[in-house]
Amino acid sequence: HHGALPRHAIVRLWRELLAATTAMQGRFALAVCETDPGSATVAIAREHFGALTPLHCHRTPGHAIRAVSEGAAAVAVLPMPAQDEPDAAAWWPALLHQDGPRLHIVGRLPFWAPRPEGAPRAQAFVVSAADPDPSGEDRSLLGLELATGIGRARLGAALTAAGFAPREIFLRRAGGAPAAQALVELEGFVAGDDPRLPAIGPVRGPPVVLGAYAVPVEERAA
């Protein structure tokens, strides 16, 4: 039907409307970590949450996360983790050890693709105090502390043996720390009480489910 709006335009309009109504109620604000002005994280947050949603920029991921813990923002939009990123950039280890209300990864941006020309190219995770909801097609994020000397291959094998389907593994060793920390992306929705979690081999302490996100639209089977 030629006169119909494309699906992404309808979602965009709905998001703008939602942003407008929540802004009027004064309850919803975004904390966005924009480490450098050209990184397009603000643009990707605006595209997803609407132009009218109050948005506060933070120089570090820690400040953006704190805004959510303290209730000053409903969600934090944070840069995607990278292998061998500097300690200051690695925000996910903070989700491994939390006092007070737990924060979770609840989304991944952009949700819509293929990207039209001129659309922001950044990738980001959305962190919130809400629990992630299963959407029917999800990926989960698991945080682990590893004994020294465990590499990606061995951890991947241990996860597979426990019944998980790992997609990506980020390893991080802070200077002088006895243990490494790992962030693992898994296929499917994993709840905190999943019976497979205690079966993961070479870990120190219980694995922590850091959240889950709905698989972005372009990556779903057509």
Side-chain angles (χ1 to χ4, degrees), residues 60-81:
T60 69
H63 285 135
I65 288 171
R66 196 169 313 127
V68 177
S69 333
E70 292 170 356
V75 300
V77 178
L78 303 167
M80 290 293 284

Side-chain angles (χ1 to χ4, degrees), residues 8 47 114-121:
H8 63 81
E47 175 188 287
R115 314 292 295 143
E117 198 160 328
R121 296 273 164 196

Side-chain angles (χ1 to χ4, degrees), residues 64 67 69 82 129 150 177 216 218:
S69 333
I150 307 297
E218 85 285 6

